[in-house]
Amino acid sequence: MYAITIPEPGGPESLVWAEVPDPVPGEGEVLVDVAASAVNRADLLQRQGFYDPPPGSSPYPGLECSGRISAVGPGVSGWAVGDEVCALLAGGGYAEKVAVPAGQLLPVPDGMDLITAAALPEVTATVWSNVFMIAHLRPGETLLVHGGASGIGTMAVQLAKAVGARVAVTAGSPEKLARCAELGADILIDYREQDFVEEIGKATGGAGADVILDIVGAKYLDRNVKALAVNGRLAVIGLQGGVKGELNLGALLRKRAAVTATSLRGRPLGEKAAIVAAVREHVWPLIGGGRVHAVVDRKVPLADAAEGHRALESGDHVGKVLLIAPGRS
């Protein structure tokens, strides 16, 4: 098969489409013929040499894919050759074939095409596990989503609205904020022109956000705590603004607030399977019912993954950038 390899870390040009050995499904795994994958921030970090795959996982980038099962390994039940699926991966999505633990498979949602389904696994698993399983967002509460126009952000807005929450977003342009509003966002904050702490305070009568989903990290840590409501929950899932910040524990104590930080890629298989099962139970009916949909900005050939990386790095996208495998459309 062919896959995107990274002979040397570097810029997008370091991604090389090369012939590599076919993967073989092991105990509890299936082999998926990939139809599409998607570009995630973790892929950019791996390309740059800053985020190695977990031990034992595929060396190729790609944290999600869609496709058809072409082989079933020992110990797998409930899946068969020919099933159309999408999957959460620890790596290997940028390839023509990938071996996937059965617990990380999802059926293609009702009414969705196979290619578009590649936009779902990483964002749905990330949002559901952090906003709902950990931060326990409830109907009537206010969620603040940083990077509302990103793949994560566009899914978080829709899922929060679907459960009856009020949603605030930050984004860097009026155009991106308009797209967030189309998805259901109630409070629109241009982070280049406005102070999100001040704006969330105004919008909530001084109460603050009950839950904040943050992709920035250290740069926003102090301001995020200021923006939290009493009993608020801050979920940090990205470090685009650095890894070390100062935390005012007094402010956290006064608000009886909590800060959590998680990643998805390196979790044990059992934890990933539990998250995927929860997504299938709670999110898939919303997608099949038309209340939530994948937001896809553009599609590029998998062999030209560098173009997809440039698109994500440019910051001019809304939603997901998909990589389409050879022979697919």
Side-chain angles (χ1 to χ4, degrees):
M1 73 170 186
Y2 278 80
I4 290 292
T5 63
I6 310 172
E8 295 290 340
E13 69 283 352
S14 65
L15 299 174
V16 177
W17 185 243
E19 191 168 7
V20 299
D22 285 6
V24 177
E27 179 76 25
E29 295 183 334
V30 305
L31 188 67
V32 173
D33 288 344
V34 174
S37 186
V39 183
N40 289 282
R41 290 282 170 186
D43 303 331
L44 275 57
L45 292 173
Q46 181 174 340
R47 187 202 75 215
Q48 295 164 350
F50 300 135
Y51 194 13
D52 292 336
S57 61
S58 171
Y60 316 122
L63 301 185
E64 56 194 334
C65 74
S66 62
R68 290 183 178 86
I69 295 176
S70 58
V72 176
V76 173
S77 60
W79 300 99
V81 171
D83 286 348
E84 292 192 342
V85 297
C86 54
L88 182 69
L89 309 172
Y94 289 22
E96 292 181 309
K97 300 175 184 291
V98 63
V100 184
Q104 291 167 217
L105 293 171
L106 288 157
V108 174
D110 293 341
M112 181 172 286
D113 66 271
L114 184 60
I115 297 295
T116 303
L120 293 175
E122 180 73 14
V123 295
T124 54
T126 298
V127 173
W128 193 261
S129 63
N130 284 279
V131 175
F132 298 95
M133 296 175 73
I134 296 175
H136 302 291
L137 180 71
R138 295 182 286 269
E141 291 190 322
T142 298
L143 168 69
L144 170 59
V145 181
H146 289 302
S150 66
I152 293 288
T154 53
M155 182 55 63
V157 170
Q158 295 180 82
L159 288 178
K161 292 299 293 183
V163 302
R166 189 183 188 197
V167 182
V169 297
T170 63
S173 72
E175 294 77 17
K176 287 187 175 183
L177 289 172
R179 292 292 300 278
C180 292
E182 292 172 1
L183 294 171
D186 306 285
I187 304 162
L188 309 175
I189 304 168
D190 186 334
Y191 69 81
R192 299 183 191 276
E193 305 291 338
Q194 298 171 292
D195 179 349
F196 72 80
V197 179
E198 181 180 340
E199 296 301 321
I200 201 70
K202 289 178 183 177
T204 61
D210 299 288
V211 176
I212 299 177
L213 185 63
D214 178 49
I215 61 172
V216 178
K219 182 179 178 181
Y220 275 10
L221 181 58
D222 181 64
R223 294 165 66 199
N224 276 332
V225 172
K226 290 178 180 177
L228 279 175
V230 172
N231 295 316
R233 293 85 74 195
L234 167 61
V236 180
I237 60 169
L239 302 171
Q240 295 179 34
V243 299
K244 293 184 179 181
E246 186 170 303
L247 178 62
N248 185 335
L249 291 175
L252 206 63
L253 283 168
R254 286 192 296 273
K255 292 187 174 184
R256 301 186 297 281
V259 179
T260 62
T262 70
S263 63
L264 189 58
R265 187 181 196 182
R267 289 193 183 204
L269 293 182
E271 291 186 17
K272 289 183 182 179
I275 291 169
V276 168
V279 166
R280 184 171 182 175
E281 178 183 357
H282 298 286
V283 180
W284 252 228
L286 297 174
I287 296 172
R291 297 180 64 190
V292 173
H293 65 277
V295 178
V296 176
D297 185 274
R298 69 195 76 178
K299 302 174 183 177
V300 302
L302 177 55
D304 296 327
E307 180 184 344
H309 278 224
R310 292 187 185 99
L312 203 71
E313 289 177 327
S314 73
D316 66 356
H317 65 291
V318 174
K320 301 285 287 189
V321 176
L322 296 188
L323 304 175
I324 312 305
R328 307 286 184 168
S329 61

